[in-house]
Amino acid sequence: MNPHFDLTDTSIDSNAVRMQFANAQTGGFVSFEGWVRNHNEGKMVSHLEYEVYTALALKEGESIVAEAIKKYDLVHAYAIHRHGLLHIGDTAVWVGASAAHRDEAFKACRLIIDQIKVRLPIWKCEHYLDGKREWVLCSHPNTESTHHSHPHIH
Amino acid sequence: MIEIEIEYYAFFREYSKIESEKFFILLSTAEELYARQKELYDFPYNTDTIRVAINDAFSSWQTLLNNGDKIVFIAPVSGG
């Protein structure tokens, strides 16, 4: 396990990752879980695949969490992202942040998941019940606007 | 001439139909290399909507490539 960010191709055990936050200095702990849902933009999703550029994702993930720790003076923060094949209801990403007070923990947790969504080099391919699939495109922080083009691959 | 390696992920792997390739090129920037590969594989993206990583670190498109560099084109990401 890395200090602040990991990738895994197996189920994320929320209770296990939460245990590392036990600390007498902590007054507030906030966690976020991103789950795989069964629909997107009117289409019924059967399952997902995440493809990751591991070497860069581990470095970028560590940077994202470290920046949040510094900005909000956190006691601890940690995030883990799944890759590979995921089914409906699986946890795709888990983020936790703890601080002396709740406000910093809430803000840090939000910052980390928002930054993961725009900076982590990982790509989601949605598979639909009709047998089609699409890569989902979001954005980069250095591009002018968020866009959602969806190249169809059948 | 320098030898470089390109790894392709997700969209780029499916457009190029390969996971990686190594070849010799004349001294060039990352942007010039992308233009070459875009034409070769008909990539749909321009450099203003994607990023580039050189040796596992985000880099500028204007970076001059060195012998032995590993390049990855980063399409818009979709984590979370």
Side-chain angles (χ1 to χ4, degrees), chain A residues 50-51 53 59 136-137 153, chain B residues 10-11 13-14 56 74 78 80:
Chain A
Y50 281 98
E51 185 169 332
Y53 173 10
K59 285 202 281 190
V136 178
L137 305 186
I153 298 158
Chain B
F11 318 88
R13 179 176 42 72
E14 295 201 351
D56 301 331
I74 312 284
S78 48

Side-chain angles (χ1 to χ4, degrees), chain A residues 50-53 55-56 59-60 81 117-118 120 122-124 133 135-140 143 147 153, chain B residues 9-11 13-15 45 48-51 53 55-58 70 72 74-80:
Chain A
Y50 281 98
E51 185 169 332
V52 64
Y53 173 10
L56 183 56
K59 285 202 281 190
E60 193 69 2
H81 204 299
K117 290 184 82 75
V118 295
L120 202 70
I122 188 165
W123 298 274
K124 176 165 57 183
R133 66 189 181 103
W135 288 101
V136 178
L137 305 186
C138 291
S139 67
H140 281 318
T143 58
H147 61 104
I153 298 158
Chain B
Y9 290 88
F11 318 88
R13 179 176 42 72
E14 295 201 351
Y15 275 102
Y45 311 110
D48 59 348
T49 56
I50 64 170
R51 301 179 74 182
N55 302 328
D56 301 331
F58 284 118
K70 182 182 86 175
V72 178
I74 312 284
V77 300
S78 48

Side-chain angles (χ1 to χ4, degrees), chain A residues 54-76:
Chain A
T54 302
L56 183 56
L58 288 172
K59 285 202 281 190
E60 193 69 2
E62 281 289 331
S63 295
I64 290 167
V65 180
E67 287 164 20
I69 290 171
K70 187 176 178 186
K71 180 171 183 176
Y72 293 110
D73 193 24
L74 303 177
V75 175
H76 184 52

Side-chain angles (χ1 to χ4, degrees), chain A:
Chain A
M1 183 180 279
N2 288 314
H4 302 299
F5 182 82
D6 275 309
L7 298 164
T8 181
D9 61 358
T10 59
S11 294
I12 295 171
D13 183 342
S14 303
N15 288 325
V17 288
R18 187 178 181 279
M19 291 306 293
Q20 65 183 284
F21 284 83
N23 187 304
Q25 298 175 49
T26 295
F29 165 74
V30 173
S31 66
F32 169 81
E33 295 182 17
W35 295 356
V36 179
R37 64 177 182 270
N38 69 354
H39 63 96
N40 189 31
E41 297 185 354
K43 295 174 188 166
M44 295 306 295
V45 175
S46 61
H47 62 282
L48 299 181
E49 276 180 276
Y50 281 98
E51 185 169 332
V52 64
Y53 173 10
T54 302
L56 183 56
L58 288 172
K59 285 202 281 190
E60 193 69 2
E62 281 289 331
S63 295
I64 290 167
V65 180
E67 287 164 20
I69 290 171
K70 187 176 178 186
K71 180 171 183 176
Y72 293 110
D73 193 24
L74 303 177
V75 175
H76 184 52
Y78 178 77
I80 183 167
H81 204 299
R82 274 281 295 274
H83 62 98
L85 178 67
L86 280 77
H87 298 286
I88 305 303
D90 283 354
T91 300
V93 60
W94 188 96
V95 177
S98 64
H101 303 284
R102 68 185 184 283
D103 195 39
E104 288 76 15
F106 272 115
K107 287 176 178 171
C109 190
R110 179 63 189 253
L111 176 68
I112 292 167
I113 185 60
D114 287 351
Q115 290 296 300
I116 282 174
K117 290 184 82 75
V118 295
R119 289 170 53 183
L120 202 70
I122 188 165
W123 298 274
K124 176 165 57 183
C125 187
E126 290 182 339
H127 292 251
Y128 305 106
L129 289 180
D130 64 7
K132 295 176 181 172
R133 66 189 181 103
E134 289 178 4
W135 288 101
V136 178
L137 305 186
C138 291
S139 67
H140 281 318
N142 65 336
T143 58
E144 286 187 359
S145 61
T146 299
H147 61 104
H148 294 276
S149 59
H150 299 259
H152 290 248
I153 298 158
H154 306 295

